[in-house]
């Protein structure tokens, strides 16, 4: 590499902006997200004809403990055909080169912008590498590099902006595997191979999904591929997922991408909190997988056997698992997650029910347990990772067991002037009538059933068809706390749609 002399370097480097809170020599609190808010540091300078066909290194000193660094680069003089190429090196090695193709890069231990290497972010002197393939005589090319850092792991967005910036219902699959763990697909010759991430993502896109969480077992190896693929799949949100796989149960976590210590030595909260607390501290979600599955040689460690979790440790439960559905040919097998979900709800916890295909092999869409079977449908403020997490936490979610594109279920309730959607809480007085409205599409006829505290009460069951819209009898509050959800069956009684609860708080006498 050809470098300019030190004197030329400092002539072109005009200023280093002073970080916030500079009284202690440290930058201020890191922005939330990879490059939100105020930059940690801004590098400004200017290249002239003297920099033509030379490389200029612009230094900055990264502090210890940084978990992600993001750089936004811009420059002027383009009207004079000035061009500045961009690269980066850390104190130990070359970290990448994007030339003139990118104005933004992000690096962490697990993932990096294509063209750059993921890996540890050592403290010390880093250098932007600026190449000048063209600067005319008399031209000036001022540049600015905004540097953002994170000092603690947090939720990761692989896309630079929301996939869709509007609120709405979005359909996805929250449990699938690639060749980074035990996902398989066919090579050109027809032999079964560990499936590359792009094949899994292509399958989801072909299914018409809006989002997926690729949840390989314990590893973080798939995140770098997801960041690379997100730009190509700009209609499909790629959510950071991982299946924490222990000897006493499996759990998906959504949001964080750093290593989580899954190495539990016993089925206790004291052991589980090592990774569960980290997920919550970083803004992510903990979801228990296939809780009713057996644990033994057939499915080692599959069933959830940690019984002393405190309230709030679990955010969601995989109620319907596609692999279990494929094995038992039923979405209602005792091996599914209904019992565990009901147990948590009856204990007063507000926990969102979701579904996931648990796809380990690319199979035709008609096969139960294929990617998107079942589909989880989430109302999100926007189609982004943060929007997804907010949607799951809100509880306005339903499960489409067959993974259709058009079936729809929403439940709302009212008492007096109060109104609640799925996931929300209604506070009627004892004796006050609660009325329900079911918004149902894509099912020509069948039965809607309200499930109250885990019981399917016949009094709150309604048949419907094209000529008779759904009408559910009012329910009278008894002043105690309850939870009420809706489910939809076809004319043969097969379960099609599962809604999440509306919560009824204990109330005073009317």
């Amino acid at each position: 590499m050809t470098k300019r002399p030190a004197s030329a370097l400092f002539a072109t480097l005009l200023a280093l902006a002073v970080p916030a809170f500079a009284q202690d020599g440290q930058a201020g609190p890191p922005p939330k997200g990879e490059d939100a808010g105020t930059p940690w540091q801004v590098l400004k300078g200017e290249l002239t004809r003297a920099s033509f066909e030379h490389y200029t290194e612009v230094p900055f000193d990264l502090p210890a403990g940084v978990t992600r660094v993001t750089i936004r680069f811009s420059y002027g003089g383009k009207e004079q055909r000035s061009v500045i190429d961009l690269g980066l090196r850390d104190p130990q090695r070359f970290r990448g080169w994007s030339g003139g193709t990118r104005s933004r890069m992000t690096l962490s231990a697990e993932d990096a912008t294509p063209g750059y290497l993921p890996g540890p972010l050592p403290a010390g002197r880093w250098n932007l590498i600026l190449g000048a393939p063209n600067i005319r005589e008399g031209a000036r090319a001022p540049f600015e590099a905004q540097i953002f850092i994170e000092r603690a792991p947090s939720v990761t967005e692989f896309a630079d902006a929301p996939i869709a910036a509007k609120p709405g219902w979005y359909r996805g699959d929250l449990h699938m595997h690639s060749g980074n763990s035990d996902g398989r697909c066919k090579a050109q010759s027809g032999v079964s191979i560990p499936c590359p991430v792009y094949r899994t993502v292509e399958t989801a896109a072909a299914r018409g999904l809006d989002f997926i969480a690729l949840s390989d077992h314990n590893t973080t190896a798939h995140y770098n591929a997801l960041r690379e693929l997100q730009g190509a799949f700009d209609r499909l949100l790629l959510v950071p997922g991982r299946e924490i796989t222990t000897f006493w149960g499996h759990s998906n976590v959504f949001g964080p991408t750093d290593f989580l210590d899954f190495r539990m030595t016993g089925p206790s909260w004291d052991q589980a909190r090592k990774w569960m607390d980290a997920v919550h501290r970083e803004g992510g979600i903990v979801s228990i997988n296939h809780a009713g599955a057996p644990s033994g040689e057939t499915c080692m460690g599959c069933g959830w056997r940690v019984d002393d979790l405190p309230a709030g440790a679990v955010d969601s439960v995989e109620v319907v698992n596609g692999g279990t559905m494929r094995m038992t040919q039923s979405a209602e097998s005792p091996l599914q997650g209904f019992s565990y979900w009901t147990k948590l709800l009856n204990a007063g916890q507000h926990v969102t029910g979701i579904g996931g295909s648990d796809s380990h092999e690319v199979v035709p869409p008609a096969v139960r347990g294929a990617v998107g079977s079942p589909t989880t449908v989430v109302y999100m403020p926007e189609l982004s990772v943060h929007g997804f997490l907010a949607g799951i936490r809100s509880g306005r979610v339903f499960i489409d067991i067959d993974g259709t594109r058009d079936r729809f279920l929403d439940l709302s309730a009212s008492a007096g002037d109060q109104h609640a959607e799925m996931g929300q809480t209604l506070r009627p007085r004892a004796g006050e009538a609660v009325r329900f409205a079911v918004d149902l599409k894509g099912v020509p006829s069948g039965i809607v059933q309200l499930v109250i505290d885990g019981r399917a009460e016949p009094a709150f069951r309604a048949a419907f068809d094209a000529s008779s819209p759904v009408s559910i009898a009012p329910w009278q509050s008894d002043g105690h706390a309850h939870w009420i959800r809706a489910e939809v069956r076809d004319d043969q009684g097969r379960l099609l749609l599962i809604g999440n609860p509306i919560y009824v708080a204990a109330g005073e006498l009317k």
Side-chain angles (χ1 to χ4, degrees):
M1 179 185 297
T2 303
K3 297 183 183 177
R4 298 196 59 206
S7 58
L9 166 62
F10 289 108
T12 56
L13 181 60
L14 297 182
L16 291 179
V18 178
F21 302 101
Q23 64 268 23
D24 61 0
Q26 298 289 325
K32 205 169 185 180
E34 290 171 15
D35 54 354
T38 304
W40 163 75
Q41 195 172 106
V42 179
L43 310 178
K44 293 183 179 181
E46 184 177 83
L47 300 186
T48 64
R49 179 66 177 182
S51 304
F52 174 56
E53 294 184 340
H54 286 79
Y55 296 101
T56 299
E57 296 205 353
V58 184
F60 62 96
D61 293 320
L62 199 68
V66 173
T67 61
R68 182 177 294 276
V69 60
T70 299
I71 300 172
R72 285 189 175 273
F73 185 78
S74 60
Y75 67 93
K78 295 179 183 179
E79 69 283 355
Q80 297 175 297
R81 304 296 295 272
S82 295
V83 176
I84 300 179
D85 290 342
L86 186 63
L88 183 68
R89 67 180 178 90
D90 69 21
Q92 301 166 5
R93 61 173 178 155
F94 179 70
R95 293 301 290 263
W97 183 260
S98 52
T101 62
R102 299 186 188 279
S103 60
R104 178 186 185 277
M105 68 180 85
T106 185
L107 298 86
S108 76
E110 291 80 22
D111 64 272
T113 298
Y116 293 85
L117 299 175
L121 306 178
R125 178 58 54 91
W126 288 58
N127 282 273
L128 283 177
I129 307 171
L130 308 183
N134 193 60
I135 297 184
R136 293 174 178 174
E137 285 287 355
R140 310 181 78 86
F143 64 81
E144 178 176 292
Q146 297 182 345
I147 303 176
F148 303 83
I149 64 172
E150 295 181 32
R151 297 181 187 271
S154 62
V155 168
T156 295
E157 298 269 8
F158 295 127
D160 293 346
I163 302 299
K166 60 183 179 180
W169 291 94
Y170 296 101
R171 296 174 180 263
D173 190 341
L174 293 175
H175 191 169
M176 59 181 63
H177 299 276
S178 77
N180 285 283
S181 59
D182 51 356
R184 311 285 295 183
C185 58
K186 295 289 194 297
Q188 286 181 309
S189 65
V191 301
S192 179
I193 60 165
C195 199
V197 172
Y198 83 89
R199 292 277 294 276
T200 305
V201 175
E202 277 184 338
T203 302
R207 188 71 190 260
L209 298 177
D210 300 309
F211 65 91
I212 60 169
L214 185 59
S215 52
D216 282 317
H217 297 279
N218 292 333
T219 185
T220 62
H222 51 300
Y223 296 138
N224 197 49
L226 291 176
R227 180 171 291 280
E228 181 179 10
L229 290 170
Q230 181 64 91
F233 292 87
D234 57 356
R235 296 179 181 175
L236 176 67
L237 176 69
L238 305 181
V239 177
R242 190 178 342 170
E243 186 166 17
I244 298 297
T245 305
T246 79
F247 301 134
W248 298 280
H250 299 183
S251 172
N252 271 355
V253 299
F254 306 118
T257 54
D258 62 308
F259 172 72
L260 298 169
D261 194 350
F262 57 88
R263 297 168 296 178
M264 293 170 57
T265 59
S268 69
W269 166 239
D270 182 61
Q271 290 293 309
R273 72 183 305 167
K274 292 190 300 184
W275 53 271
M276 286 188 170
D277 279 353
V279 173
H280 288 141
R281 188 166 56 247
E282 296 168 26
I285 279 177
V286 173
S287 183
I288 304 302
N289 288 346
H290 41 66
S295 289
E297 291 185 356
T298 301
C299 194
M300 293 174 284
C302 287
W304 189 256
R305 293 183 286 158
V306 184
D307 295 327
D308 61 342
L309 299 182
V314 174
D315 303 290
S316 62
V317 171
E318 186 182 69
V319 177
V320 180
N321 175 278
T324 304
M325 188 165 61
R326 185 176 178 182
M327 179 180 66
T328 64
Q329 290 301 298
S330 172
E332 299 182 86
S333 160
L335 302 183
Q336 296 286 7
F338 285 95
S339 294
Y340 188 73
W341 187 35
T342 298
K343 173 185 172 182
L344 296 182
L345 293 174
N346 283 342
Q349 298 189 45
H350 293 195
V351 178
T352 303
I354 64 173
S357 69
D358 200 2
S359 170
H360 285 75
E361 186 176 3
V362 175
V363 295
V367 176
R368 284 192 160 192
V371 169
S373 172
T375 293
T376 300
V377 189
V378 184
Y379 188 85
M380 304 183 196
E382 63 180 21
L383 186 55
S384 67
V385 175
H386 284 85
F388 160 77
L389 296 173
I392 294 294
R393 289 191 180 100
S394 79
R396 199 170 180 199
V397 175
F398 70 90
I399 304 166
D400 182 345
I401 290 171
D402 292 338
T404 70
R405 298 188 186 188
D406 58 351
R407 289 178 186 163
F408 178 81
L409 172 65
D410 197 10
L411 178 70
S412 61
S414 59
D417 59 357
Q418 296 183 61
H419 180 84
E421 311 281 356
M422 290 188 296
Q424 296 179 339
T425 300
L426 200 67
R427 292 176 170 81
R429 291 187 174 185
E432 189 172 12
V434 176
R435 292 176 171 80
F436 298 94
V438 179
D439 188 356
L440 177 62
K441 299 180 180 70
V443 182
S445 61
I447 296 169
V448 172
Q449 171 73 63
L450 292 188
V451 178
I452 303 173
D453 300 334
R455 299 184 301 275
E457 303 283 358
F460 303 102
R461 180 182 302 154
F464 66 91
D465 56 30
S467 63
S468 60
V470 177
S471 178
I472 300 286
W475 174 80
Q476 190 170 26
S477 171
D478 59 5
H480 298 293
H482 298 277
W483 57 271
I484 302 170
R485 65 174 180 85
E487 58 186 34
V488 179
R489 297 176 183 273
D490 64 15
D491 292 324
Q492 288 73 47
R494 188 171 70 89
L495 189 59
L496 302 179
L497 302 170
I498 303 165
N500 266 274
I502 291 172
Y503 301 96
V504 178
E508 301 174 355
L509 290 175
K510 188 173 179 181

